Amino acid sequence: MLSIASSMKGRTSLACARLSPLRSQTVLSLPKTRLRYRPLSTVAVEESTQPHPSISITTTRAEMDQSLHSYTSSDTLDPIRIIRLPEIKPGSRESGKFADHQLPEQLAVMYACLNTGDMDRARRIFVALHKNNPDDMLVLGDIRMHNSFLESYMNASPSPRTKDALKWFESLSKYNVKPDLTSFAILIRGFIKMDSRHTAKVMMMEMEKAGFTIEDLKRCPDLQTDDIAKIEKVSKMLEPVTARIEPLTPAPILIDPAPEFEPVNPVKNAKNEPVIGVKLMRDTLDALTLKDLTRFERQQKLEEKSYQAALDRMEYEREHMPEQLNVKPLRSYLWQWHQDLREGIQAEIKRVDAVLEQKSLSENAGLDRDRMVYGPFLKLLSPAKLSIITILELLRLNNSGGVMEGMKSARALVSIGKAVESEYNAEQMSKKTNKALVDQRYSVHQLYGSGKLFNMAVRKVETKKIEAMHPTDWTPVWPESTRAKVGSVLTSLLMDCAKVRIPSYDPETNESITEEIPAFFHGYQYHKGQRIGVIKVHNHISEILSKEPIGTLIHPSLLPMLVLPRPWLSYKSGGYLSAQSVIMRIRHCPEQFDYLRKAHNEGLLFRIYNGLDVLGKTEWAVNKKVLTTVLEAWNSGQEFAKIPPVVGEVEDLPKPEDYETSSKARGRWFFENRRRKLEAKNNHSLRCDVNYKIEIARAFADEPMYFPHNLDFRGRAYPIPPLFNHLGNDLCRGLLMFGEAKPLGSKGFTWLKIHLANLAGFDKHSLSARAQFAMDHLEDIIDSADKPMEGRRWWLQAEDPWQCLATCIEITEAIRSGDPETYMSRIPVHQDGTCNGLQHYAALGGDIVGAQQVNLVPSDAPQDVYSGVAQAVERLLAKQAAEGVESAKILSGKVTRKIVKQTVMTNVYGVTFIGARTQIENRLKETEGIPAEQVTFLSTYLTQQVFASLGELFTGARAIQEWLAESARRIAKSVPKSVVIPESDEVEEPSGRGRKKKSSKQSIADQQMTSVIWTTPLNLPIVQPYRKMEHKQVRTNLQSVTLKDPSQASPVNVQKQRTAFPPNFIHSLDATHMLMSAAGCVEAGLTFASVHDSYWTHARDVEVMNEVLRRQFIVLHSNNIMKNLEKEFMERYKDYLYPVSLTIANPREPVGEGMIAWNDERIRLKNAKISGAESMESDRFLSDSEVFDNEGESSASELSKAKQANVFDFGDDEDDEHDLSSVVIEEDEEELEAEARAMDKALRKGTKSKKAASKLFHSWEPISFPPLPDRGDFDVRKVAESDYFFS
């Protein structure tokens, strides 16, 4: 039997150390801008008011090998520094020509004109922008924009416009802009190409006067190798001559020839051919077979493949296609559509040129104006590439967004425009990558691989080097309106030329003919109660796509990497070697990007970069033995271990006898046929998904793999390659193992057995019992390893069969090695937290009872929080059943762990009452003895009992959750002091052309721009992105589409800000602990991987990793996180006002808390203002006589009028016993909005106003926050002694 507890206690000792009670305060001064923002500032927050533990881990490990690393990381966190950006104010239309929402569009058009040779039009736009929007252009028009003009003039065709370039260069001072190194590089390169060496020499002298050297110039990323050689010749004319530095040449990486792996039988279509998507993906992976190149070079080749590769393949297949085109219908269609669309784009470009050349608009002025907007963008890429992008994007989007056999128009148009933008940016980036930049990246790559980059001093130095060499091009983001217009014209052209051939007959002659029908057509349909435009795909194409899906087309940037990822040296520099990635997946939140940029500039993100680099540094490999079994199961075509079966043609069911006479029978027949076909289509899609995973695994079978990581907006890490990674399903995880092998050591074999028990579902028992479980099933384990398909197949009974099979093979080979301690193991062993969110809540609140439930305190066996809740619910039911409650009688004895598990798990992450009820209802449907007609009613009752039990077990968690939600509500409803008129307590409405200032419910809502923003303990600023984004109608060739415009300042969504904050905050703590643990593990010499709150390492290193996990959790929670958060809120929002309602006291009534005297001066001033404004009746406040009429009692009509007059009543603050101030946060914004609408409807339906508005005085007060909940007595240092904290 295994006794982990005794050995763990002997290795870990705790000692308290003093921590300075206050962290030093830091204030960063920042330059002021003339935009609608206030200056930025940062302040330090007190880290802790409690003693900070110092944990010493002894190096004596009798039970472990001497070579095992011991973790000795720092016991402190850096001071929290608050980044404050200027407040966002509502946008208003100024008197200038371009309103705020037009600026991005005009900048994008100017950018397109510069890159297509229309410099004169670009200059006119530039001058107009400076004339009409001088304040904005003072900030937006930086040196990068001016360099774009210089480069366009110097690269003009047929000859450079050098005079215009020099004139522009001389005008920089007019715009308060100084030239940078790129400015001089552009001019010097251009003059040298023109053989004007004297002018180039003069420019070099000017460059040196500006503080730049020749060596700086040669390292400029805008110069290619041949440019540098020419510059060196000219530089010899200058004195003194600077010695040339030879660029670093990457050392070749030797690769052993790898044998080919058994081929995969790919998913077949109706003609028994590989489907298009798989074929394209296979071709993409061809770069892996170029064995004459180094892995670094092969990775670069892999990333170079894009739409151009798809186009080349299409042309190749066309040349080799048989004459019988109907053999491959989709590919023949694609080729014909491509040919016709390419010609259509060329013709449209000629029409655009004709519009731009004429001096006046034609009769179709609207279309001419549109062509002036989208025309320049059609010239950025070749017509052939625009064609393939349009076709592939439309086919990829088929059946998306809840639209069967089609897609939403707005989504399709924007997606095509964005794809064009991304492809052009990728082309430009590849052109800007010179040898010096590649050498520098390779140098950083070597430091990363050697581990030296994890030294913060080295990282900071390399960051400065790489930023100095990084291309500084001006690349404005295309606004949604521009993307929609570009996508619209391309889609319209495709719809005009794309045809499908449908067999038909001539009604006059009855002869068989073939008709050409449009493959795509536009229409409208109702979706979720709204009329939306849709692009429908002809059902003939839909049928082909269901058998030859192209929707999962793999872009090379979505594959695992052959070499170490590019380390994160800035918020937008890391991941793939050439493709640009941003460290955070930001959607519709430009504010978050601004905070990241500012935090990086202040040097606050290095620990974030470090953690992500640890995750990216882990080398992975394909488990070939598991892959062999996967291929055998796959090629059998049968359903096996969650691999769906081969799907054949689904024939219609025989018609029932009463088909012609019974409408119900016909309906059932149609419904059943549709269900069967839909199920077959879903199974086919699932099988295709598995096919992609197997193809990637087979391609990388003899190659190392690395997964670059980035973050979501809460700070949680995800691999960037989405299709095949360790966050995937059981099949992906079973196929993956560590690239590095380590001997098991004395304890590793035991942890391998415990890991097997966990995978088999035997994970709620003690560690010794789990290890014994493996020994009891040793024959089954060996049989599974030797005969996975022909044997007893015991491994298929596991909850995670493929991972179980991989572990069975590992255990069997370790036993047969003769000495398991020396066996070289590569299987990752997992350590999972016990409802990790509740662990954080218990630590935050010092909740002893909650800590016991989630294994934060030592125990002889693991505590199961789900069983604990189920037992607590049963006790409540038993009590209520004794009192005669019928529902309790029915449910008593039937509440199991399975019924409550999902609700308990998601409660901490924000499930609403409605969502929890749905979860429990689904489980009750599976429970015997529950009347089907009462399931819905009983689920509501049982959900109430589950929430009540959670409140009893986790009182600290509930109190903190409520504090977080209430604080978020106050922040979201607050406004800056600057928008409130002090004399009248009214909100000043943004004034525009002749618009009057007024106070109303809408004007207040429009001013609520304040997002909930907080800083994690690793100094990562997080902005909640929930806003009521402005909808803008954009007229396109296809239809007028309504788009959300994230670039415009929009009011926050108060409800989403409030309900999302508690789960998001806990997610951010979870992510912080993971990144801290990652850094700790790499310092301890461990291989580390994570799946959110599940941490992986080699079997021999599990106990060391557990020490790291516990220690980092203690370090994290020894800081007074809640107190720091409160102080951050008080500092960040100190200049904000919050709407409050004070009860007006009667003349003889004492004025208590939350009250205001009846004769207060503020009441008199407000009433005086109201009495003189008859036109403001609907927004008025009540007079004294109305307030105290009839001894303070109000009639129903008066209450109704008062509620209408209450400008502070937004209908989202009513109390509801089922509102837990939380909502499940999903990536799908539509699902989140639907959930919020459902909760809002439930709140409004059952809530009545509890206060008489006639006795309230509404005012603006400085924002304050509720007192923090009292902290319990739980000492987080006890976690160090808990064997089951992670297990």
Side-chain angles (χ1 to χ4, degrees):
M1 299 290 286
L2 178 69
S3 178
I4 298 295
S6 58
S7 62
M8 295 283 282
K9 292 177 182 176
R11 290 195 310 276
T12 306
S13 61
L14 301 175
C16 294
R18 291 191 303 273
L19 181 69
S20 176
L22 291 174
R23 290 183 172 188
S24 59
Q25 192 171 26
T26 307
V27 178
L28 306 176
S29 60
L30 301 168
K32 295 183 178 180
T33 70
R34 296 181 63 188
L35 288 175
R36 301 181 305 280
Y37 305 116
R38 66 167 179 255
L40 302 93
S41 66
T42 63
V43 297
V45 175
E46 177 184 356
E47 175 185 351
S48 178
T49 58
Q50 299 180 347
H52 188 69
S54 173
I55 306 166
S56 110
I57 299 177
T58 62
T59 57
T60 304
R61 303 176 182 274
E63 66 282 354
M64 301 188 70
D65 291 346
Q66 295 295 322
S67 60
L68 216 79
H69 295 273
S70 179
Y71 178 58
T72 57
S73 181
S74 170
D75 289 344
T76 60
L77 291 171
D78 295 333
I80 294 176
R81 292 198 289 174
I82 303 174
I83 295 293
R84 294 183 65 191
L85 287 176
E87 65 190 41
I88 297 178
K89 293 186 177 180
S92 60
R93 294 181 179 271
E94 306 295 340
S95 58
K97 180 178 179 180
F98 301 116
D100 288 344
H101 69 277
Q102 292 178 310
L103 266 175
E105 185 171 289
Q106 291 297 318
L107 291 172
V109 172
M110 184 172 72
Y111 170 78
C113 290
L114 286 173
N115 287 276
T116 55
D118 195 352
M119 283 81 73
D120 292 334
R121 186 184 177 196
R123 180 183 58 79
R124 290 195 299 270
I125 296 175
F126 179 86
V127 172
L129 288 173
H130 262 281
K131 178 182 178 181
N132 297 297
N133 302 77
D135 290 345
D136 291 327
M137 289 300 292
L138 191 63
V139 176
L140 298 173
D142 58 13
I143 186 58
R144 296 177 303 155
M145 182 184 294
H146 291 273
N147 287 341
S148 295
F149 276 90
L150 293 176
E151 188 163 19
S152 294
Y153 282 128
M154 295 303 292
N155 294 335
S157 179
S159 61
R161 296 170 57 172
T162 54
K163 291 184 179 180
D164 290 324
L166 290 174
K167 185 177 179 180
W168 195 279
F169 182 80
E170 292 172 357
S171 69
L172 292 179
S173 58
K174 172 183 175 183
Y175 299 105
N176 296 321
V177 174
K178 293 183 179 180
D180 63 0
L181 182 62
T182 302
S183 310
F184 291 106
I186 292 170
L187 294 174
I188 292 170
R189 178 187 60 194
F191 285 122
I192 290 178
K193 285 184 177 180
M194 295 174 58
D195 205 25
S196 181
R197 299 195 173 190
H198 176 74
T199 310
K201 175 185 174 183
V202 173
M203 291 306 304
M204 288 183 182
M205 297 172 64
E206 291 295 322
M207 179 190 70
E208 291 180 331
K209 290 179 182 179
F212 302 106
T213 66
I214 298 297
E215 292 304 322
D216 293 334
L217 179 63
K218 289 191 290 186
R219 288 193 293 268
C220 180
D222 290 84
L223 301 177
Q224 300 300 319
T225 304
D226 56 342
D227 297 328
I228 296 173
K230 295 176 182 178
I231 286 174
E232 286 181 336
K233 294 181 180 179
V234 177
S235 66
K236 293 179 181 179
M237 301 168 60
L238 301 174
E239 295 292 340
V241 178
T242 307
R244 180 183 179 189
I245 300 178
E246 292 294 331
L248 176 66
T249 303
I253 302 175
L254 300 178
I255 302 175
D256 296 329
E260 290 189 8
F261 210 83
E262 178 184 350
V264 182
N265 292 337
V267 179
K268 300 296 182 66
N269 61 12
K271 302 296 183 181
N272 201 34
E273 301 164 339
V275 301
I276 289 290
V278 175
K279 178 65 170 64
L280 296 181
M281 195 265 307
R282 277 184 165 183
D283 292 339
T284 295
L285 294 170
D286 285 345
L288 297 177
T289 63
L290 303 175
K291 300 296 183 180
D292 55 325
L293 302 178
T294 67
R295 286 200 180 102
F296 196 88
E297 293 169 332
R298 282 191 291 154
Q299 179 63 37
Q300 289 179 314
K301 288 287 185 183
L302 196 63
E303 293 181 22
E304 287 174 5
K305 290 176 174 286
S306 61
Y307 289 107
Q308 183 61 47
L311 179 61
D312 294 342
R313 288 193 296 271
M314 186 181 293
E315 292 179 349
Y316 175 84
E317 288 178 350
R318 170 59 182 171
E319 293 174 0
H320 296 77
M321 190 176 294
E323 294 183 1
Q324 296 83 5
L325 296 181
N326 60 346
V327 174
K328 300 180 179 180
L330 182 57
R331 269 177 268 186
S332 67
Y333 283 142
L334 292 180
W335 174 257
Q336 190 60 51
W337 296 349
H338 167 63
Q339 291 287 85
D340 295 342
L341 180 56
R342 183 176 58 182
E343 295 176 1
I345 294 172
Q346 292 171 343
E348 179 63 20
I349 290 175
K350 292 180 180 179
R351 290 190 286 268
V352 168
D353 291 336
V355 171
L356 294 176
E357 290 174 2
Q358 64 187 19
K359 296 182 179 180
S360 60
L361 299 177
S362 65
E363 295 180 357
N364 196 344
L367 183 57
D368 286 353
R369 291 192 184 94
D370 285 344
R371 283 180 171 143
M372 293 178 70
V373 173
Y374 66 68
F377 298 95
L378 296 183
K379 301 179 182 180
L380 292 175
L381 297 173
S382 67
K385 190 166 288 189
L386 289 175
S387 170
I388 195 65
I389 289 173
T390 306
I391 294 171
L392 294 182
E393 281 296 308
L394 275 185
L395 293 179
R396 183 181 66 84
L397 290 170
N398 186 43
N399 288 329
S400 66
V403 180
M404 293 298 294
E405 297 183 353
M407 66 217 77
K408 295 178 182 177
S409 298
R411 180 181 182 184
L413 304 187
V414 172
S415 295
I416 292 173
K418 189 173 182 179
V420 173
E421 177 189 16
S422 299
E423 182 65 16
Y424 179 73
N425 289 342
E427 279 189 0
Q428 296 303 107
M429 180 176 289
S430 63
K431 293 178 182 178
K432 294 292 182 180
T433 302
N434 61 13
K435 191 174 187 301
L437 183 60
V438 172
D439 291 342
Q440 177 62 26
R441 286 178 178 173
Y442 190 81
S443 175
V444 172
H445 219 258
Q446 289 180 317
L447 291 173
Y448 182 23
S450 66
K452 295 179 181 178
L453 197 64
F454 293 109
N455 181 295
M456 285 299 163
V458 175
R459 181 179 287 274
K460 291 178 181 180
V461 170
E462 294 302 321
T463 298
K464 290 183 178 179
K465 288 182 182 179
I466 205 72
E467 286 184 343
M469 298 185 64
H470 198 274
T472 56
D473 292 343
W474 175 63
T475 309
V477 176
W478 297 8
E480 297 287 87
S481 58
T482 299
R483 291 171 177 167
K485 290 179 179 179
V486 173
S488 175
V489 65
L490 293 172
T491 302
S492 298
L493 291 172
L494 177 61
M495 291 172 66
D496 288 341
C497 65
K499 309 292 183 182
V500 293
R501 295 178 291 276
I502 304 297
S504 182
Y505 68 95
D506 189 326
E508 296 181 358
T509 63
N510 287 330
E511 293 181 358
S512 297
I513 61 174
T514 300
E515 289 187 298
E516 288 197 342
I517 307 296
F520 306 92
F521 57 94
H522 178 262
Y524 294 89
Q525 73 178 44
Y526 283 91
H527 181 73
K528 295 182 179 179
Q530 295 181 333
R531 184 174 180 264
I532 61 170
V534 295
I535 297 174
K536 303 289 284 186
V537 180
H538 193 280
N539 57 7
H540 177 60
I541 296 297
S542 291
E543 290 177 4
I544 296 176
L545 288 174
S546 68
K547 300 163 187 173
E548 301 184 32
I550 202 168
T552 326
L553 181 65
I554 297 180
H555 194 281
S557 66
L558 304 181
L559 292 170
M561 296 184 66
L562 286 166
V563 296
L564 285 170
R566 185 153 50 106
W568 288 102
L569 296 181
S570 79
Y571 64 99
K572 58 179 181 180
S573 175
Y576 290 99
L577 299 184
S578 57
Q580 183 173 359
S581 301
V582 179
I583 197 172
M584 186 175 284
R585 304 176 183 193
I586 301 172
R587 183 185 183 192
H588 294 165
C589 189
E591 192 179 3
Q592 177 70 76
F593 193 83
D594 295 338
Y595 273 93
L596 282 178
R597 178 170 56 243
K598 188 59 195 170
H600 169 77
N601 292 339
E602 300 299 341
L604 302 180
L605 299 182
F606 284 108
R607 295 193 70 169
I608 301 294
Y609 301 152
N610 199 62
L612 289 177
D613 286 345
V614 170
L615 300 176
K617 190 175 186 292
T618 299
E619 180 182 330
W620 296 89
V622 172
N623 190 323
K624 294 184 180 181
K625 291 185 172 67
V626 174
L627 179 58
T628 300
T629 304
V630 170
L631 290 173
E632 186 178 351
W634 171 266
N635 290 331
S636 72
Q638 304 298 315
E639 183 176 4
F640 189 87
K642 301 178 183 179
I643 295 178
V646 172
V647 179
E649 291 292 328
V650 179
E651 301 292 339
D652 286 345
L653 294 170
K655 293 181 180 180
E657 295 180 358
D658 56 349
Y659 176 85
E660 299 294 342
T661 59
S662 172
S663 59
K664 289 185 178 180
R666 283 196 304 272
R668 285 194 298 268
W669 184 81
F670 280 113
F671 175 81
E672 185 62 22
N673 281 326
R674 181 175 177 83
R675 185 194 63 78
R676 294 172 66 247
K677 291 180 179 179
L678 184 61
E679 181 180 355
K681 182 184 291 187
N682 290 338
N683 282 337
H684 186 79
S685 297
L686 290 173
R687 189 165 173 85
C688 286
D689 179 66
V690 174
N691 197 170
Y692 292 124
K693 290 175 170 55
I694 295 175
E695 284 288 357
I696 295 173
R698 192 176 68 87
F700 282 87
D702 296 295
E703 303 286 355
M705 280 183 293
Y706 298 89
F707 302 127
H709 285 65
N710 62 1
L711 308 172
D712 69 3
F713 80 91
R714 296 161 293 191
R716 305 189 83 183
Y718 291 85
I720 299 177
L723 292 172
F724 189 68
N725 59 61
H726 59 292
L727 260 74
N729 58 16
D730 173 55
L731 177 64
C732 287
R733 297 182 186 187
L735 284 168
L736 286 171
M737 59 184 181
F738 289 136
E740 179 186 5
K742 287 187 177 183
L744 284 174
S746 59
K747 291 293 184 183
F749 187 57
T750 299
W751 279 108
L752 205 58
K753 292 184 287 186
I754 294 172
H755 179 56
L756 178 74
N758 292 340
L759 294 171
F762 194 77
D763 56 342
K764 304 307 173 189
H765 301 269
S766 66
L767 296 177
S768 57
R770 292 183 229 177
Q772 186 60 43
F773 171 86
M775 297 306 297
D776 294 342
H777 290 84
L778 191 58
E779 290 186 8
D780 293 324
I781 292 171
I782 296 175
D783 178 75
S784 297
D786 292 342
K787 297 178 289 184
M789 300 293 288
E790 303 85 9
R792 296 192 294 267
R793 298 186 177 184
W794 174 81
W795 61 279
L796 289 177
Q797 302 173 22
E799 292 183 2
D800 301 301
W802 291 111
Q803 294 176 80
C804 182
L805 175 62
T807 310
C808 287
I809 295 172
E810 195 84 347
I811 291 176
T812 301
E813 292 186 346
I815 293 174
R816 288 174 176 167
S817 69
D819 184 6
E821 292 190 15
T822 61
Y823 175 74
M824 303 299 288
S825 175
R826 300 168 75 181
I827 292 294
V829 175
H830 311 168
Q831 295 289 278
D832 299 341
T834 306
C835 200
N836 199 241
L838 285 174
Q839 288 181 328
H840 285 291
Y841 268 126
L844 289 172
D847 185 353
I848 293 180
V849 176
Q852 292 172 344
Q853 292 290 328
V854 290
N855 295 309
L856 294 186
V857 296
S859 62
D860 296 331
Q863 301 299 308
D864 182 13
V865 62
Y866 310 117
S867 297
V869 173
Q871 293 167 7
V873 171
E874 280 288 357
R875 288 194 295 269
L876 281 177
L877 293 179
K879 180 180 178 181
Q880 295 183 22
E883 297 172 355
V885 178
E886 194 63 30
S887 298
K889 293 179 180 179
I890 298 175
L891 292 170
S892 185
K894 297 183 177 66
V895 178
T896 63
R897 178 183 187 272
K898 181 179 180 181
I899 289 177
V900 303
K901 179 179 179 179
Q902 188 178 12
T903 301
V904 174
M905 186 187 305
T906 55
N907 174 264
V908 66
Y909 292 125
V911 70
T912 61
F913 182 86
I914 297 173
R917 185 186 63 190
T918 302
Q919 294 169 351
I920 290 177
E921 182 178 356
N922 291 335
R923 300 288 78 79
L924 288 181
K925 290 178 180 178
E926 303 168 356
T927 305
E928 295 183 2
I930 304 294
E933 65 277 5
Q934 297 188 45
V935 165
T936 301
F937 174 77
L938 291 174
S939 65
T940 301
Y941 169 77
L942 184 55
T943 303
Q944 294 172 339
Q945 310 314 312
V946 172
F947 281 169
S949 300
L950 282 169
E952 292 179 4
L953 290 175
F954 299 95
T955 55
R958 177 59 55 83
I960 291 173
Q961 193 176 46
E962 291 174 351
W963 186 91
L964 293 171
E966 173 60 20
S967 298
R969 185 183 72 90
R970 296 187 182 191
I971 292 169
K973 299 192 75 171
S974 66
V975 298
K977 289 180 180 179
S978 57
V979 304
V980 177
I981 304 172
E983 295 80 8
S984 61
D985 252 359
E986 292 180 345
V987 170
E988 180 178 325
E989 187 178 10
S991 57
R993 299 172 180 171
R995 297 165 72 178
K996 296 181 179 180
K997 299 176 182 178
K998 61 180 181 179
S999 179
S1000 66
K1001 191 181 297 187
Q1002 185 58 47
S1003 65
I1004 294 175
D1006 289 343
Q1007 292 285 359
Q1008 290 174 334
M1009 310 293 294
T1010 316
S1011 289
V1012 179
I1013 303 169
W1014 72 99
T1015 307
T1016 73
L1018 292 182
N1019 277 311
L1020 175 68
I1022 297 179
V1023 182
Q1024 289 203 143
Y1026 314 114
R1027 292 185 176 274
K1028 299 175 182 177
M1029 280 189 292
E1030 178 182 347
H1031 288 71
K1032 182 171 62 175
Q1033 195 171 50
V1034 178
R1035 184 175 58 82
T1036 69
N1037 298 41
L1038 197 62
Q1039 70 172 68
S1040 290
V1041 295
T1042 302
L1043 303 173
K1044 292 180 179 179
D1045 191 355
S1047 65
Q1048 297 305 304
S1050 305
V1052 296
N1053 186 316
V1054 175
Q1055 186 185 42
K1056 287 185 184 179
Q1057 292 283 342
R1058 172 176 63 88
T1059 57
F1061 180 49
N1064 284 342
F1065 179 71
I1066 296 300
H1067 275 306
S1068 71
L1069 291 183
D1070 194 18
T1072 299
H1073 179 231
M1074 188 278 294
L1075 292 174
M1076 292 171 63
S1077 300
C1081 285
V1082 77
E1083 289 184 24
L1086 309 185
T1087 300
F1088 179 83
S1090 78
V1091 180
H1092 301 320
D1093 60 350
S1094 176
Y1095 301 152
W1096 302 4
T1097 192
H1098 285 90
R1100 62 171 282 166
D1101 295 333
V1102 170
E1103 294 187 6
V1104 180
M1105 183 179 73
N1106 276 333
E1107 291 178 357
V1108 174
L1109 300 182
R1110 290 192 294 269
R1111 181 170 183 168
Q1112 293 296 358
F1113 190 86
I1114 294 171
V1115 171
L1116 174 63
H1117 283 284
S1118 293
N1119 297 283
N1120 199 331
I1121 293 175
M1122 294 304 298
K1123 188 65 177 178
N1124 282 348
L1125 180 65
E1126 181 189 42
K1127 290 187 175 183
E1128 177 178 354
F1129 281 171
M1130 293 174 66
E1131 171 61 28
R1132 186 180 296 280
Y1133 303 108
K1134 62 184 178 181
D1135 297 325
Y1136 285 72
L1137 300 177
Y1138 172 73
V1140 296
S1141 298
L1142 302 175
T1143 302
I1144 303 174
N1146 290 319
R1148 291 175 295 278
E1149 182 182 2
V1151 181
E1153 185 178 355
M1155 302 178 68
I1156 186 172
W1158 68 275
N1159 57 353
D1160 190 281
E1161 182 68 13
R1162 288 175 292 175
I1163 295 179
R1164 189 191 65 79
L1165 289 174
K1166 190 174 291 289
N1167 288 335
K1169 185 174 184 65
I1170 293 174
S1171 62
E1174 294 292 334
S1175 62
M1176 302 293 289
E1177 180 67 21
S1178 62
D1179 292 323
R1180 69 188 182 92
F1181 291 89
L1182 300 181
S1183 64
D1184 292 339
S1185 60
E1186 290 176 301
V1187 169
F1188 299 108
D1189 189 26
N1190 295 326
E1191 297 182 355
E1193 295 181 3
S1194 300
S1195 66
S1197 60
E1198 288 174 329
L1199 287 175
S1200 177
K1201 292 179 180 178
K1203 188 168 182 65
Q1204 291 177 4
N1206 182 3
V1207 297
F1208 294 87
D1209 174 34
F1210 296 99
D1212 67 323
D1213 290 331
E1214 296 91 338
D1215 297 326
D1216 185 271
E1217 62 178 341
H1218 302 320
D1219 178 17
L1220 301 183
S1221 299
S1222 53
V1223 65
V1224 176
I1225 305 304
E1226 300 287 350
E1227 295 300 325
D1228 191 337
E1229 186 176 355
E1230 290 184 359
E1231 291 183 8
L1232 184 61
E1233 290 179 351
E1235 179 75 12
R1237 286 195 298 269
M1239 174 57 73
D1240 185 59
K1241 182 178 180 180
L1243 288 173
R1244 293 176 183 273
K1245 182 177 180 180
T1247 309
K1248 297 181 180 179
S1249 177
K1250 299 177 182 179
K1251 297 180 180 179
S1254 60
K1255 296 190 67 175
L1256 296 179
F1257 174 79
H1258 308 289
S1259 178
W1260 293 95
E1261 300 290 343
I1263 191 171
S1264 62
F1265 299 94
L1268 284 171
D1270 293 334
R1271 184 178 173 84
D1273 298 328
F1274 170 66
D1275 186 352
V1276 72
R1277 290 174 292 182
K1278 291 184 178 179
V1279 171
E1281 303 172 12
S1282 174
D1283 296 337
Y1284 298 102
F1285 169 55
F1286 272 72
S1287 65

